[in-house]
Amino acid sequence: MFRTLRLSLRFLVPLLLAMVGVAYLSVPLVDSLMQRWFVRDLDIRSSFVARSLEEQVGELLESKSNSRIDALLERATADERLFALGLCDANGRLIRRTHSFPTSIDCSVSRRVGAGAGLVLDLPQGAVHVATAELKRGDETLATLVMLHDMSFVQRRSEDTRKYIVILFTVLGVAVALITIAVAHLSWRGWVAGVRAMLRGEGVIRPFAHPRPELQPLVGDLRALLRDMQNERREQDEIAARWNPETLRHLLHDQFSGDEVILVSNREPYIHVRTAQGVQVQRPASGLVTAVEPVMRACSGTWIAHGGGSADRESSDAAGRVRVPPGDPAYTLRRLWLSKEEEKGYYYGFANEGLWPLCHIAHVRPVFRTEDWDHYHAVNEKFARAVVDEAHSDDPIVLIQDYHFALLPRMVRERLPRATIITFWHIPWPNPESFGICPWRAEIINGLLGSTILGFHTRFHCNNFLQTVDRFVEARIEYESSTVSYGGHLTQVESYPISIAWPVTDTAAETVAAARARIRRILGVDDSHLVGLGVDRLDYTKGIVERMRAVERLLELHPEWTGRFSFVQIAAPSRSSLDEYQRFEAQVRATAAQINARFGDASWQPVRLLVEHHDADSVRAYYRACDVCMVTSLHDGMNLVAKEFVAARDDDRGTLILSQFAGASRELHEALIVNPYHTEQVAEALHRALGMPEHEQRERMASLRQLVRDFSVYRWAGRMLLDAARLRRRERIAARIDEYSESA
Ligand code: G6P
């Protein structure tokens, strides 16, 4: 209200002054115009007076009746305008005059008066209009009549007019000012709302479809800005194939002026473990770590994670910091220590017994305990404090990973409001009905909406999330731009399919042929033996049992593979403290044993189950040695095993069987896509893969490899960072507009 008043006065006062000025300037013009009109009027009146007196005066002059002439002239001047009359003879002598005739005027004045146009004289008694007319009898001029009209009424009228003009312009000024203020106010509000909406990404076109003419220049500027942003995006997309650690580093430097990057995940990238041989460094079996680690190497910064290794404390400094990778340090790992209770409640409990089955819908019931939730909340707080600890500025880039930290984005936002928070949810997001069973659904959504960007692997998961928000919290959702406005803060919800680093660094550097031969030796089979491969954590979402059932069905349907084909399952133990995982491991072992008992003999076993941790090089050797890789997840955010297998096959051979329920199936179309619940279908796909001609393998694999190369994890990170940079710019413009409209 106060602002509107201030704004109004700023418009009103200058406009009023201008109007009054215009009024005063226009008065002389109006004066002279009126004078001319009145003079012309008096010219006409004078000729009319002359005509009406001509005959009578002529006769009286002839009869020399001077007194009657005087009386006639006096009578004529009874008219309030006709001030005085005089008669001049042919010699220019004033022979008769009314009493009012000024002594200062004589007959010579007639020489100054033009024909039909009077003369205005300023006399001491005021301005007079002087006109003359010759009184004739036939051709003879008897006398000249001098007529003086009073012009004081002109002055009176002129003063009145001046007064009215000033009043009129002042009133007009006020009216124009008020209308201008009203229009400007509405336009400004509309414009600001339009720009704000645009900056929020709500329909860029709408507010500017028919811009008001007065806003044209500003709209032009904003359009140019948007064009720049869009071009930038297009260009960046076009260079997708060129994404690498270097481009990522440049991006950070150009768009974020080298701002620090803080990454948070539960699982640490390097685990120090105490073994009989001393402290060893292990890499965890985690898709998340596989993907994100190369990004951190490129960006440097700090990675905050739970220090869960038995030798982690002794391998870090007092603050839990250690430079990694060991031997070639590129960034800092900051370890956070959790108590057994915290780990049990936050990690095993709420994250892995609650959220994991909730989001995967793999027919394992989620378990929600208040105690677990409390630990989850407390551990998220602990990580939030660590983020603030590690941040050297008030606007760091914070990359939050996965379902262990649903509350962290909001907690960081509250502590560092200017931070750019990019949260990535590495697992699926279910539909609102499924998610709705979580007792803390609103808290989780609120937590996640503290992010600047919230990423999922697929558009499908984004839509599920938006619908969940719609169902459970009061937020404004723009489906078109995929943004959620909640509590005055905007979150971009976008799909960023994760990937792996390209090219792959192979420390073992073994050729495909060498790997094939070596692995077959380990398996105790000959070189022509075909090998199928599964690589997973021992997790019920991965479809390991379903896969083994498909191998069994293959042998039933196509007995010609008996003794010619083996299926190797590398299964990394995972979350083994949980009953569900122990039951699952037992089930996997039992299934393998049962199939082997049914089809195998002393020299050949169809299923080779390797329940143990394998390092990256050894897994890569299996990828290169096998003929078919099977990824049959019942539900999976992305599944990077599929992409790792493709990346390992620089010989363009091998076939990928891929579950339609893994995010990767949305990208890797040349794989044999299967429904893991349909055992026969998977068995037939396996049969087809084992017999696939080399040229078909090559065609499919070449195309898969191109995709993984062009859409590497550097592009995944780069796209998120570019989007974040764009949002940061938009927020800055929005803040500037706010500042401007505050001060306006
Ligand atoms: C999935 C999750 C990751 C997790 C990984 C391994 O990929 O999305 O966050 O790190 O599984 O699980 P773990 O519980 O061993 O870290």
Side-chain angles (χ1 to χ4, degrees):
M1 182 61 210
F2 181 66
R3 191 149 48 89
T4 311
L5 197 73
R6 256 194 311 155
L7 183 80
S8 308
L9 284 177
R10 279 193 193 179
F11 267 103
L12 195 65
V13 172
L15 209 73
L16 267 179
L17 289 177
M19 286 309 231
V20 172
V22 169
Y24 272 99
L25 283 178
S26 57
V27 164
L29 190 81
V30 174
D31 261 2
S32 84
L33 212 81
M34 281 182 62
Q35 179 112 354
R36 253 187 284 149
W37 286 342
F38 284 120
V39 167
R40 205 172 306 146
D41 187 36
L42 291 176
D43 288 344
I44 296 166
R45 280 176 72 108
S46 301
S47 63
F48 176 72
V49 169
R51 265 201 313 278
S52 60
L53 291 178
E54 186 170 25
E55 201 175 325
Q56 271 182 290
V57 173
E59 280 169 12
L60 293 174
L61 276 175
E62 271 181 338
S63 61
K64 300 204 176 26
S65 315
N66 285 349
S67 58
R68 287 181 64 197
I69 291 173
D70 290 346
L72 180 67
L73 295 184
E74 289 295 350
R75 237 187 357 263
T77 53
D79 179 307
E80 65 164 325
R81 301 263 170 87
L82 191 56
F83 167 61
L85 288 171
L87 269 180
C88 299
D89 65 10
N91 301 322
R93 266 186 310 115
L94 187 65
I95 48 172
R96 305 271 27 115
R97 55 194 280 274
T98 57
H99 287 105
S100 53
F101 201 86
T103 46
S104 54
I105 295 181
D106 57 25
C107 289
S108 64
V109 78
S110 63
R111 287 200 295 276
R112 291 162 56 199
V113 178
L119 174 75
V120 177
L121 290 180
D122 266 324
L123 300 181
Q125 55 269 60
V128 288
H129 172 268
V130 186
T132 58
E134 289 184 340
L135 304 179
K136 293 191 172 188
R137 160 136 318 173
D139 288 340
E140 186 196 353
T141 302
L142 298 175
T144 300
L145 182 65
V146 181
M147 295 158 282
L148 269 63
H149 275 95
D150 176 15
M151 281 196 71
S152 61
F153 79 97
V154 176
Q155 256 163 357
R156 276 198 310 277
R157 289 225 175 140
S158 192
E159 264 160 31
D160 284 352
T161 312
R162 200 174 301 154
K163 202 162 69 200
Y164 290 134
I165 284 179
V166 172
I167 292 173
L168 180 78
F169 271 83
T170 309
V171 170
L172 215 69
V174 173
V176 170
L178 290 178
I179 292 169
T180 311
I181 289 163
V183 171
H185 193 65
L186 290 177
S187 305
W188 173 250
R189 276 180 25 183
W191 183 79
V192 169
V195 174
R196 283 201 185 122
M198 177 200 72
L199 292 169
R200 283 196 303 268
E202 299 164 7
V204 167
I205 306 298
R206 221 177 321 125
F208 298 110
H210 303 288
R212 296 178 185 88
E214 74 276 13
L215 299 176
Q216 197 76 50
L218 280 167
V219 172
D221 285 353
L222 279 160
R223 278 214 175 107
L225 178 78
L226 283 176
R227 251 195 320 274
D228 285 354
M229 288 179 172
Q230 275 157 9
N231 285 346
E232 202 175 278
R233 178 173 208 161
R234 210 168 302 126
E235 272 168 33
Q236 294 298 347
D237 277 351
E238 277 162 15
I239 60 156
R242 286 188 271 132
W243 279 108
N244 56 39
E246 206 42 46
T247 44
L248 209 54
R249 267 193 289 274
H250 277 139
L251 172 68
L252 277 171
H253 185 265
D254 297 347
Q255 303 281 344
F256 293 91
S257 343
D259 285 353
E260 55 175 340
V261 174
I262 300 172
L263 188 137
V264 184
S265 77
N266 170 69
R267 186 61 65 201
E268 56 183 339
Y270 296 92
I271 311 172
H272 286 91
V273 283
R274 209 172 297 118
T275 67
Q277 292 76 44
V279 173
Q280 287 186 352
V281 180
Q282 272 186 10
R283 306 293 312 278
S286 157
L288 181 160
V289 171
T290 308
V292 173
E293 210 271 338
V295 173
M296 272 310 272
R297 284 192 200 210
C299 302
S300 302
T302 305
W303 183 326
I304 306 174
H306 169 215
S310 52
D312 273 353
R313 276 183 199 261
E314 63 200 68
S315 315
S316 327
D317 69 12
R321 295 197 186 98
V322 55
R323 295 283 295 166
V324 288
D328 181 23
Y331 61 93
T332 302
L333 171 61
R334 159 85 195 273
R335 288 168 167 150
L336 241 65
W337 317 117
L338 300 183
S339 67
K340 282 282 160 244
E341 294 69 42
E342 280 174 329
E343 193 180 358
K344 184 168 174 281
Y346 138 82
Y347 171 75
Y348 286 110
F350 194 75
N352 285 315
E353 286 191 290
L355 289 179
W356 179 268
L358 176 78
C359 292
H360 278 91
I361 317 178
H363 317 291
V364 169
R365 277 173 75 122
V367 178
F368 292 112
R369 302 180 196 94
T370 304
E371 200 190 339
D372 293 347
W373 167 253
D374 291 342
H375 279 301
Y376 185 83
H377 193 282
V379 172
N380 271 246
E381 286 274 3
K382 200 168 191 171
F383 275 83
R385 285 194 295 275
V387 170
V388 177
D389 261 12
E390 297 300 326
H392 301 125
S393 68
D394 69 339
D395 62 349
I397 304 162
V398 186
L399 306 175
I400 298 176
Q401 308 301 311
D402 231 352
Y403 60 99
H404 310 92
F405 298 114
L407 306 179
L408 188 57
R410 172 74 55 209
M411 292 171 174
V412 174
R413 170 75 56 220
E414 278 161 6
R415 291 166 165 87
L416 298 169
R418 281 170 35 82
T420 297
I421 305 174
I422 303 178
T423 304
F424 196 80
W425 195 260
H426 289 256
I427 63 175
W429 188 278
N431 57 51
E433 288 73 28
S434 305
F435 192 79
I437 67 170
C438 174
W440 297 283
R441 61 200 183 191
E443 286 85 341
I444 288 176
I445 294 169
N446 172 38
L448 287 171
L449 289 179
S451 316
T452 315
I453 288 185
L454 175 58
F456 295 93
H457 293 296
T458 67
R459 191 65 236 165
F460 181 63
H461 297 150
C462 293
N463 292 342
N464 278 349
F465 177 78
L466 293 177
Q467 285 161 14
T468 309
V469 173
D470 202 11
R471 184 76 61 86
F472 300 116
V473 298
E474 282 294 319
R476 183 176 157 169
I477 302 171
E478 288 285 334
Y479 284 94
E480 211 179 299
S481 55
S482 200
T483 51
V484 180
S485 187
Y486 182 65
H489 172 77
L490 196 76
T491 301
Q492 176 90 44
V493 179
E494 205 49 80
S495 65
Y496 304 95
I498 205 166
S499 197
I500 54 168
W502 187 286
V504 182
T505 33
D506 185 0
T507 43
E510 190 180 31
T511 63
V512 169
R516 279 185 78 88
R518 190 166 63 81
I519 296 296
R520 277 166 182 71
R521 268 201 310 281
I522 294 172
L523 295 173
V525 293
D526 62 38
D527 281 358
S528 61
H529 197 85
L530 296 184
V531 172
L533 176 70
V535 178
D536 305 86
R537 283 181 306 106
L538 252 179
D539 193 298
Y540 52 82
T541 62
K542 300 295 179 185
I544 299 173
V545 171
E546 287 72 8
R547 197 177 306 166
M548 291 195 290
R549 289 286 169 221
V551 171
E552 180 182 34
R553 193 83 184 106
L554 172 83
L555 298 175
E556 285 169 3
L557 295 172
H558 301 283
E560 66 271 25
W561 291 112
T562 309
R564 293 176 54 211
F565 161 72
S566 300
F567 175 69
V568 178
Q569 176 66 52
I570 294 179
S574 180
R575 307 169 193 170
S576 341
S577 322
L578 294 179
D579 290 351
E580 199 62 54
Y581 283 77
Q582 287 167 10
R583 270 198 296 277
F584 181 67
E585 184 179 337
Q587 191 191 359
V588 168
R589 286 185 187 277
T591 309
Q594 186 239 316
I595 297 170
N596 286 340
R598 184 174 165 201
F599 293 96
D601 56 28
S603 61
W604 172 73
Q605 301 235 304
V607 177
R608 303 295 186 95
L609 182 60
L610 311 174
V611 181
E612 59 193 323
H613 185 80
H614 285 67
D615 65 25
D617 285 344
S618 127
V619 172
R620 188 171 152 80
Y622 274 97
Y623 285 143
R624 286 160 76 76
C626 75
D627 299 284
V628 186
C629 180
M630 297 182 80
V631 175
T632 54
S633 317
L634 304 180
H635 204 177
D636 220 329
M638 171 55 71
N639 193 295
L640 290 182
V641 166
K643 293 189 176 180
E644 282 179 345
F645 167 63
V646 167
R649 298 313 296 253
D650 51 15
D651 61 336
D652 283 352
R653 299 298 156 73
T655 308
L656 175 65
I657 294 177
L658 180 58
S659 164
Q660 68 187 80
F661 305 121
S665 68
R666 312 281 161 125
E667 292 181 280
L668 303 179
H669 303 293
E670 284 76 17
L672 299 181
I673 307 290
V674 295
N675 174 354
Y677 292 96
H678 191 333
T679 312
E680 277 74 23
Q681 190 197 53
V682 183
E684 285 306 335
L686 191 50
H687 175 63
R688 188 175 162 202
L690 292 172
M692 189 178 283
E694 276 198 6
H695 70 87
E696 188 181 342
Q697 287 182 35
R698 194 169 287 141
E699 266 171 34
R700 286 174 183 267
M701 187 52 80
S703 158
L704 290 170
R705 284 174 64 77
Q706 188 171 341
L707 186 123
V708 179
R709 185 193 63 207
D710 291 351
F711 295 82
S712 70
V713 75
Y714 302 114
R715 181 178 184 270
W716 170 79
R719 276 190 57 222
M720 285 196 291
L721 288 170
L722 274 177
D723 284 351
R726 191 162 37 243
L727 287 179
R728 235 152 104 125
R729 275 205 300 273
R730 282 183 182 192
E731 263 163 27
R732 278 182 195 157
I733 296 173
R736 238 177 283 148
I737 288 171
D738 279 345
E739 266 169 37
Y740 184 70
S741 52
E742 285 292 309
S743 66

